[in-house]
């Protein structure tokens, strides 16, 4: 195939000429189009594989395949035989660049914000009681005024003759300009038949006939905007055309199929239709017919393929009468499970309720040919397969390529009159091709009928929200037309992909992100997590570096590090997953109980198509696993405790299976390391909560433990007590604290670095109560001073309420009535939140002080180990000296602690045989050597 250069703004004539070239080999245009399709398939396949989208690419269907086209033909014949596929002359959305009509669901995908001119124009009445007055006509399409044929008023609305700025005008009464003086009133129906002077005379008067330029009535005229008088140009409006047909008016169209005014039209000949607005408005102004001209911002339809502004244009087209099956579509919609649910009766339901016939045909060369043949006597034959076509031609055409130009060459005697029948020139809307996918992908019913019947309807489909008027509609409509049943049972609407600032991606803005660059920078797993867990599926996604970096850091790396932690210590201890576990630590029992809830919650969320909810639960568990379980259990791993190894392995096993649909690559890699003899994680069984121990009481208690730890940490921070400084005790006042086991209280003590955790038995806070003068002063007025005295004498509130006696009246105060000030007793720090209090004893004796210094030294030595690049299991010899007596005393007293924490086989006071490291903050110098 020869290479073809493609440029923008190719004319229809150029395209047809190119398409019909013949070089002795397959037509270059057809070969070119096939090449584009196959290249797009290759690009899609590459991205599909790179991002781990699990589909059968080896058996993917192509809508241009002959078997697919035959299935589409078969379905169209069924629709034709039902009398629902018809040709008609209608005003339809039309792309002047592509020179083809569009269906309404195609139009819905191409709206853009635009600013058009809004004009109010004088149409002088030339007959009737108000002759000489000016009809005020409002329009946002001045370019249609040269072909004005009539005006319409609402028959039941009231219209007025009014004096305004020295002239007599006629408008609907609700839309009369402010300041106008009403002279007379008439119902709209009384104006019917009265004549007016046409605003422009750019087209021959003879084209309009003798019934034009009259006032007509139409129920669609509204009183919401404009003047209540609508100008009619039947060639460019469906409602205009309907009114014109009812009254026998001609359809005058001065615009060619390319969207430009015909060359012989004065003033605006050769101009693109929207570009003529400026000249038309200037002409109206020169004729003193322009009343008002202002910008009109609105959403205007553009071609979803090329971006050209559409024109509503009268021309013959083929339609599917979907309005005839509206009730069935509404019923199928009611039976469909929509996610989110509001789409059913909102965006999609409203679309069905306003359903119009499907404009099926397209004036293009490449596409599925419309399988209708017509003879000179206008008899129509719809063909449903190549076998049917072979029978009509009396020739075997089973190997015919069912595309243009090949199929256009096939003629046969008309079955009705035996004159030659030729195929109509149009192809069909590509959205019909997409809607036929459920059966056409199989080539059904001509082949693979059982496979199709077993798979129809689909249990679930998924696409972006903009497909409510695209693929979702075409799938349901084609299925209902052909099989009287929608093609799907459940549909999930996805949000759109936006840039980091929330803007739609476009070449114009230069903000399109290359997915392969994102995959290379952050990995496909991070992109998948953003799509699946970055919000509800139907919420738009902002894609940018910051969001993806956070996913890598908070989710993927945290999960990776948890698995690496286990593998590292399991290898050091020569631990294997099949080793028995006789007893589990409270942290182990909590982790497995928490995992039980995670499995249940993730399973329920995914059953409800809530991937974001599942993602949030998984991310929270990953954080719990790393920043609570592993951190709290680190010493047990140092000691190679079998129950810790087994518990973490079991948790990672289940977590990896839960994460696999979200992040398939990292999970499969780590699965091979967690199970050296296992197949892919994607072949493993989905976890079941029933296989894990449930202990909701322990889960709730651990949640309270963590809340108390957080409260204690904030108390330390508020009082500038460093974390490594041990304290004597913490006292707790909290509902359920007494039920916490010693193991759980030990977790609190270790986390808060206190010697003991005890229930609060003494009043550690002095509470001062004062009245809220601003609030209570309005209620008690002059009695306020006596109320303040009563509050001061009443003591502390009980359960948040304070009862006092005021002039013999019992007053109960609570909430904002009172201003409470808490002052901890000397030597204590107390924090209270929602009725839960944690108090820390701040008094430091010598033992606590020395222990804190020893822990500071441990941290500094650990940092030195890292700086030397030592492995976590490497043992060392350590020497130290200090010029501070308190540090010396601390290290002498806690030498064993120092040795255990830094893996020192020997700790010696004195200078060593290695490079020294000095820590000025402790006056400490250490020497370290690897054993």
């Amino acid at each position: 195939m020869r290479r073809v250069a493609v440029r923008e703004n190719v004319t229809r004539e150029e395209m047809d000429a190119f398409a019909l070239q013949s070089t002795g080999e397959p037509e270059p245009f057809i070969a070119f189009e096939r090449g584009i399709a196959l290249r797009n398939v290759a690009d899609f396949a590459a991205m599909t594989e790179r991002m781990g989208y699990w589909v059968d690419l080896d058996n993917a269907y192509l809508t241009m395949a002959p078997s697919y086209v035959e299935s589409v033909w078969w379905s169209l014949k069924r629709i034709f035989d039902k009398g629902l596929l018809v040709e008609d002359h209608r005003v339809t959305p039309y792309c002047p660049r592509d020179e083809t009509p569009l269906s309404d669901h195609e139009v819905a995908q191409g709206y853009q914000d635009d600013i058009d001119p809004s004009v109010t124009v004088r149409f002088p009445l030339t007959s009737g009681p108000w002759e000489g007055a000016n009809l005020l006509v409002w329009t946002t399409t001045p370019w249609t005024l040269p072909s004005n044929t009539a005006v319409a008023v609402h028959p039941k609305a009231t219209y007025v003759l009014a004096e305004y700025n020295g002239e007599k005008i006629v408008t609907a009464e609700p839309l009369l300009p402010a300041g106008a003086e009403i002279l007379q009133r008439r119902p709209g129906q009384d104006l019917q038949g009265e004549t007016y002077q046409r605003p422009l005379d750019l087209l021959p008067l003879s084209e309009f006939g003798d019934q034009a330029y009259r006032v007509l009535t139409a129920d669609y005229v509204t009183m919401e905007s404009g003047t209540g008088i609508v100008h009619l140009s039947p060639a460019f409006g469906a409602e205009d055309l309907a009114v014109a047909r009812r009254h026998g008016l001609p359809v005058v169209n001065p615009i060619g199929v390319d969207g430009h005014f015909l060359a012989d039209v004065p003033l605006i000949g050769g101009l693109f239709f929207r570009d003529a607005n400026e000249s038309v408005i200037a002409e109206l102004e020169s004729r003193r017919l322009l009343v008002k001209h202002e910008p009109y911002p609105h959403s205007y339809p553009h071609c979803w393929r090329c971006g050209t502004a559409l024109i509503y244009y009268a021309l013959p087209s083929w339609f599917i009468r979907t309005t005839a099956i509206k009730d069935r579509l509404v019923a199928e919609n009611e039976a469909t499970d929509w996610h989110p649910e509001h789409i059913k009766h909102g965006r999609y339901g409203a679309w069905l309720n306003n359903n119009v016939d499907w404009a099926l045909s397209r004036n293009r060369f490449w596409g599925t040919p419309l399988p209708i043949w017509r003879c000179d006597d206008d008899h129509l034959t719809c063909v449903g397969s190549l076998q049917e076509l072979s029978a009509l031609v009396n020739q075997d055409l089973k190997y015919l390529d069912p595309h243009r130009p090949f199929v256009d060459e096939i003629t046969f005697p008309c079955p009705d009159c035996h004159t030659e029948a030729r195929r109509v020139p149009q192809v069909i809307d590509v959205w019909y091709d997409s809607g036929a996918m459920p059966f056409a992908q199989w080539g059904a019913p001509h082949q693979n009928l059982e496979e199709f019947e077993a798979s129809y309807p689909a249990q679930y489909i998924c696409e972006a929200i903009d497909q409510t008027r695209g693929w979702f509609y075409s799938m349901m409509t084609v299925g209902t037309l052909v099989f009287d049943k929608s093609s799907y049972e459940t549909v999930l609407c996805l949000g759109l992909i936006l840039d980091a600032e929330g803007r739609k991606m476009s070449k114009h803005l230069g903000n399109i992100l290359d997915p392969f660059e994102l995959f290379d920078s952050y990995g496909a797993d991070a992109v998948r997590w953003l799509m699946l867990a970055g919000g509800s599926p139907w919420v738009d996604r902002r894609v940018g570096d910051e969001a993806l970096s956070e996913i890598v850091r908070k989710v993927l790396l945290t999960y990776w590090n948890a698995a690496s932690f286990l593998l590292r210590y399991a290898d050091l201890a020569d631990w294997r997953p099949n080793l028995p576990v006789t007893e589990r630590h409270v942290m182990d029992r909590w982790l497995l109980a928490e995992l039980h809830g995670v499995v249940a919650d993730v399973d329920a969320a995914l059953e409800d198509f809530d991937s974001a909810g599942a993602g949030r639960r998984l991310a929270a568990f990953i954080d719990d696993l790393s920043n609570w379980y592993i951190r709290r259990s680190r010493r047990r791993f140092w000691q190679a405790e079998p129950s810790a190894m087994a518990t973490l392995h079991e948790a990672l096993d289940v977590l990896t299976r839960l994460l696999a649909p979200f992040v398939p690559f990292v999970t499969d890699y780590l699965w091979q390391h967690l199970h050296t003899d296992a197949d892919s994680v994607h072949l493993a069984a989905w976890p079941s909560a029933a296989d894990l121990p449930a202990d909701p009481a322990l889960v709730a208690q651990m949640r309270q433990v963590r809340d108390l730890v957080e409260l204690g940490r904030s108390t330390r921070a508020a009082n500038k007590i460093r974390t490594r400084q041990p304290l004597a005790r913490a006292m707790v006042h909290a509902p359920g604290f007494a039920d916490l086991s010693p193991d759980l209280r030990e977790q609190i003590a270790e986390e808060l670095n206190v010697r003991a955790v005890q229930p609060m038995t003494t009043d550690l806070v002095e509470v001062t109560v004062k009245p809220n003068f601003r609030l209570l002063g309005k209620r008690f007025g002059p009695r306020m001073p006596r109320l303040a005295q009563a509050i001061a004498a009443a003591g502390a509130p009980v359960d948040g309420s304070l009862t006092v006696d005021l002039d013999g009246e019992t007053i109960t105060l609570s909430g904002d009535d009172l201003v409470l000030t808490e002052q901890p007793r000397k030597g204590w720090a107390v924090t209270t939140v929602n009725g839960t209090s944690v108090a820390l004893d701040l008094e430091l004796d010598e033992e606590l002080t020395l222990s804190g210094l020893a822990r500071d030294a441990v941290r500094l030595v650990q940092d030195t180990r890292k700086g030397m690049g030592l492995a976590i299991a490497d043992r060392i010899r350590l020497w130290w000296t200090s010029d501070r007596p308190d540090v010396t005393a601390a290290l002498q007293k806690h030498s064993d602690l120092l040795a255990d924490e830094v893996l020192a086989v020997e700790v010696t006071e004195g200078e060593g045989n290695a490079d020294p490291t000095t820590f000025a903050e402790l006056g400490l110098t250490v020497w370290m050597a690897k054993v």
Side-chain angles (χ1 to χ4, degrees):
M1 170 187 162
R2 64 186 178 89
R3 299 187 64 83
V4 182
V6 181
R7 61 181 173 84
E8 297 289 338
N9 301 318
V10 178
T11 67
R12 182 53 187 257
E13 290 76 11
E14 290 175 315
M15 182 62 75
D16 282 347
F18 170 61
L20 293 171
Q21 288 180 43
S22 178
T23 60
E25 54 183 359
E27 279 71 3
F29 180 74
I30 298 299
F32 175 65
E33 289 289 348
R34 290 186 191 278
I36 290 177
L38 293 174
R39 186 171 69 246
N40 289 338
V41 168
D43 291 343
F44 175 78
M47 190 175 79
T48 296
E49 293 182 0
R50 182 68 177 85
M51 72 183 300
Y53 185 41
W54 205 349
V55 293
D56 184 5
L57 291 173
D58 293 334
N59 295 293
Y61 66 86
L62 295 173
T63 58
M64 66 181 181
S67 62
Y68 197 103
V69 173
E70 275 198 275
S71 290
V72 170
W73 281 9
W74 167 81
S75 66
L76 289 171
K77 182 174 180 5
R78 285 178 62 93
I79 296 169
F80 179 87
D81 290 344
K82 294 177 182 180
L84 299 179
L85 177 53
V86 297
E87 187 180 31
D88 198 3
H89 194 277
R90 303 184 187 181
V91 172
T92 60
Y94 177 84
C95 175
R97 180 181 180 274
D98 296 342
E99 296 185 15
T100 191
L102 283 78
S103 62
D104 273 45
H105 49 274
E106 286 181 294
V107 174
Q109 298 182 75
Y111 276 91
Q112 299 178 18
D113 290 338
D114 259 343
I115 297 178
D116 276 319
S118 161
V119 296
T120 303
V121 183
R122 297 179 179 93
F123 283 39
L125 281 168
T126 57
S127 68
W130 293 347
E131 181 179 353
N134 290 315
L135 297 171
L136 296 192
V137 178
W138 178 76
T139 182
T140 59
T141 56
W143 58 268
T144 61
L145 287 171
S147 55
N148 168 258
T149 306
V151 298
V153 297
H154 195 287
K156 296 181 181 179
T158 298
Y159 289 79
V160 297
L161 174 68
E163 185 84 26
Y164 182 65
N165 290 340
E167 69 173 302
K168 290 182 179 180
I169 62 172
V170 178
T171 72
E173 185 171 3
L175 298 169
L176 186 67
E181 179 186 357
I182 297 176
L183 303 177
Q184 295 178 25
R185 291 180 173 86
R186 294 167 67 192
Q189 60 190 9
D190 285 2
L191 295 172
Q192 181 162 324
E194 295 181 0
T195 59
Y196 64 87
Q197 179 182 321
R198 64 173 177 166
L200 298 172
D201 54 5
L202 303 181
L203 303 178
L205 188 61
S206 59
E207 293 186 16
F208 293 88
D210 57 6
Q211 296 300 311
Y213 309 124
R214 298 176 184 273
V215 179
L216 307 177
T217 59
D219 290 335
Y220 68 82
V221 179
T222 72
M223 301 295 117
E224 296 176 0
S225 60
T227 63
I229 305 175
V230 176
H231 121 80
L232 304 182
S233 184
F236 308 115
E239 293 169 324
D240 298 17
L241 180 61
V243 174
R245 282 178 170 173
R246 196 160 59 241
H247 292 276
L249 296 175
V251 177
V252 179
N253 183 0
I255 295 179
V257 293
D258 62 355
H260 292 72
F261 278 90
L262 300 177
D264 59 354
V265 178
L267 182 69
I268 53 177
L271 292 178
F272 188 62
F273 72 99
R274 293 184 91 193
D275 295 339
N277 281 327
E278 186 176 342
S279 297
V280 169
I281 294 170
E283 182 68 14
L284 291 170
E285 190 167 20
S286 70
R287 298 185 181 205
R288 301 181 180 275
L289 296 177
L290 186 65
V291 177
K292 184 190 298 184
H293 170 211
E294 55 189 6
Y296 179 68
H298 65 144
S299 187
Y300 190 86
H302 290 67
C303 179
W304 66 281
R305 287 180 176 273
C306 67
T308 303
L310 300 183
I311 181 173
Y312 282 80
Y313 197 77
L315 74 168
S317 294
W318 291 87
F319 295 85
I320 296 177
R321 294 179 53 241
T322 52
T323 51
I325 63 162
K326 175 181 174 180
D327 291 344
R328 286 293 305 125
L329 291 173
V330 170
E332 288 302 304
N333 184 42
E334 286 298 321
T336 302
D337 180 22
W338 283 90
H339 297 266
E341 188 177 1
H342 67 81
I343 299 294
K344 173 185 284 190
H345 298 122
R347 183 184 178 101
Y348 190 74
W351 176 255
L352 289 185
N353 288 331
N354 294 290
N355 181 266
V356 298
D357 288 345
W358 186 341
L360 180 71
S361 59
R362 298 290 180 272
N363 299 332
R364 298 192 181 112
F365 197 88
W366 174 250
T368 298
L370 186 62
I372 294 177
W373 272 255
R374 168 185 274 139
C375 70
D376 291 341
D377 290 336
D378 215 28
H379 297 135
L380 302 176
T381 303
C382 189
V383 177
S385 68
L386 290 177
Q387 183 177 355
E388 286 185 29
L389 189 60
S390 297
L392 290 166
V393 177
N394 195 26
Q395 177 185 348
D396 186 0
L397 299 177
K398 64 183 178 182
Y399 297 114
L400 175 72
D401 183 342
H403 289 97
R404 302 184 70 188
F406 315 107
V407 72
D408 292 345
E409 298 169 358
I410 305 300
T411 63
F412 54 80
C414 170
D416 293 318
C417 65
H418 304 294
T419 60
E420 183 180 72
R422 305 191 64 84
R423 197 190 70 83
V424 297
Q426 293 91 347
V427 298
I428 69 169
D429 180 6
V430 294
W431 287 103
Y432 188 97
D433 284 321
S434 71
M437 177 274 293
F439 55 91
Q441 66 172 324
W442 300 103
H446 308 304
Q447 55 184 294
N448 302 314
L449 182 59
E450 291 184 2
E451 289 84 348
F452 159 64
E453 291 177 341
S455 64
Y456 191 89
Q459 293 178 311
Y460 159 84
I461 66 170
C462 174
E463 247 294 356
I465 191 75
D466 56 351
Q467 293 304 313
T468 48
R469 299 168 184 177
W471 191 53
F472 297 153
Y473 174 75
S474 66
M475 286 266 286
M476 177 177 286
T477 302
V478 172
T480 304
L481 283 163
V482 178
F483 305 106
D484 196 35
K485 187 173 184 60
S486 174
S487 300
Y488 51 85
E489 296 172 348
T490 298
V491 55
L492 176 63
C493 297
L494 301 178
L496 302 177
I497 305 300
L498 310 176
D499 69 9
E501 282 72 45
R503 302 174 301 173
K504 289 185 179 181
M505 295 186 190
S506 70
K507 293 180 180 178
H508 172 70
L509 295 175
N511 62 344
I512 294 177
L513 295 175
D514 184 336
F516 289 95
E517 291 181 2
L518 296 178
F519 297 153
D520 292 341
S521 298
Y522 302 100
D525 284 328
V527 178
R528 288 176 59 97
W529 185 271
L530 178 65
M531 300 303 176
L532 287 166
S536 297
W538 40 88
V539 173
D540 294 343
R541 293 288 187 279
R542 294 191 178 194
V543 181
D545 294 328
E546 184 176 348
L548 290 168
S549 295
E550 184 173 328
I551 290 168
V552 171
R553 185 177 68 256
K554 290 187 175 181
V555 179
L556 299 181
L557 281 180
T558 306
Y559 162 64
W560 175 279
N561 290 337
S564 297
F565 179 87
L566 170 66
L567 295 171
R568 184 185 308 122
Y569 281 98
D571 185 59
L572 290 172
D574 197 27
W575 179 86
R576 296 293 177 265
N578 57 355
L579 296 178
V581 177
T582 56
E583 185 176 353
R584 300 224 189 229
H585 188 276
V586 65
M587 291 297 296
D588 302 337
R589 288 186 281 112
W590 164 77
L591 184 65
L592 296 180
E594 183 71 30
L595 188 57
H596 170 95
V598 171
V599 173
D601 292 345
V602 169
D603 199 54
L606 293 180
E607 285 289 342
D608 197 37
F609 303 96
D610 183 11
S611 58
R616 286 192 298 271
R617 192 70 168 95
L618 287 167
F621 182 76
I622 291 171
D623 184 70
D624 289 343
L625 180 68
S626 175
N627 295 319
W628 184 249
Y629 177 79
I630 291 178
R631 190 170 57 77
R632 290 294 315 123
S633 307
R634 192 175 295 272
R635 187 175 300 278
R636 297 171 57 217
F637 285 95
W638 292 349
Q639 297 167 354
E641 189 174 307
S643 67
M645 299 282 190
T647 300
L648 182 54
H649 185 274
E650 185 173 352
L652 285 168
D653 173 288
V654 174
L655 176 61
T656 300
R657 285 183 281 158
L658 291 175
L659 285 171
F662 292 80
V663 287
F665 298 105
V666 66
T667 51
D668 208 37
Y669 179 85
L670 290 177
W671 182 263
Q672 305 300 322
H673 288 75
L674 291 170
H675 302 279
T676 55
D677 58 346
D679 291 325
S680 168
V681 67
H682 305 296
L683 300 178
W686 182 252
S688 170
D691 296 334
L692 292 161
D695 193 341
L698 177 57
V699 170
Q701 287 183 325
M702 189 64 79
R703 189 176 301 116
Q704 182 180 38
V705 165
R706 298 179 71 177
D707 290 343
L708 293 172
V709 166
E710 192 62 34
L711 203 56
R713 286 176 179 164
S714 65
T715 305
R716 267 185 176 271
N719 289 272
K720 296 182 173 57
I721 307 298
R722 67 189 193 281
T723 303
R724 287 178 297 279
Q725 174 58 62
L727 300 176
R729 55 181 172 160
M731 301 189 75
V732 175
H733 171 74
F737 175 74
D739 298 328
L740 296 184
S741 66
D743 287 342
L744 291 175
R745 295 192 187 192
E746 182 181 352
Q747 300 303 314
I748 300 174
E750 290 181 1
E751 273 294 294
L752 295 184
N753 195 10
V754 297
R755 297 284 192 255
V757 178
Q758 303 167 348
M760 193 177 292
T761 56
T762 59
D763 190 1
L764 299 177
V765 178
E766 296 178 1
V767 180
T768 302
V769 185
K770 294 181 179 180
N772 185 334
F773 284 95
R774 178 174 297 179
L775 186 64
L776 297 179
K778 299 176 183 178
R779 289 168 52 189
F780 295 97
R783 296 195 295 167
M784 194 62 219
R786 295 193 298 279
L787 178 62
Q789 292 176 354
I791 291 173
V798 177
D799 295 329
S801 297
L802 187 69
T803 301
V804 300
D805 180 83
L806 179 63
D807 301 334
E809 178 186 357
T810 300
I811 305 294
T812 300
L813 305 170
S814 62
D816 292 339
D817 295 336
L818 304 172
V819 178
L820 305 181
T821 304
E822 296 182 345
Q823 182 62 43
R825 283 170 44 188
K826 185 178 180 181
W828 287 85
V830 182
T831 301
T832 301
V833 175
N834 297 328
T836 296
S837 299
V838 173
L840 298 180
D841 185 350
L842 304 182
E843 295 290 339
L844 298 179
D845 57 20
E846 182 181 6
E847 165 58 26
L848 291 171
T849 301
L850 294 180
S851 179
L853 290 172
R855 289 173 181 270
D856 288 339
V858 167
R859 178 184 65 83
L860 295 173
V861 175
Q862 294 283 36
D863 290 344
T864 304
R865 281 181 57 100
K866 292 179 182 178
M868 291 176 61
L870 296 179
I872 60 171
D874 286 345
R875 302 286 171 167
I876 63 169
R877 287 189 174 85
L878 181 69
W879 296 266
W880 64 269
T881 64
S882 177
D883 56 13
R884 281 180 51 177
D886 55 348
V887 173
T888 299
L891 296 184
Q892 289 172 344
K893 184 175 180 61
H894 297 285
S895 179
D896 290 343
L897 170 69
L898 179 61
D900 288 344
E901 293 291 332
V902 303
L903 299 184
V905 298
E906 182 180 333
V907 177
T908 304
E909 183 179 358
E911 296 184 1
N913 297 319
D915 293 334
T917 302
T918 299
F919 307 105
E921 61 268 40
L922 293 182
L924 176 66
T925 301
V926 299
W927 295 259
M928 193 183 306
K930 179 181 175 182
V931 175

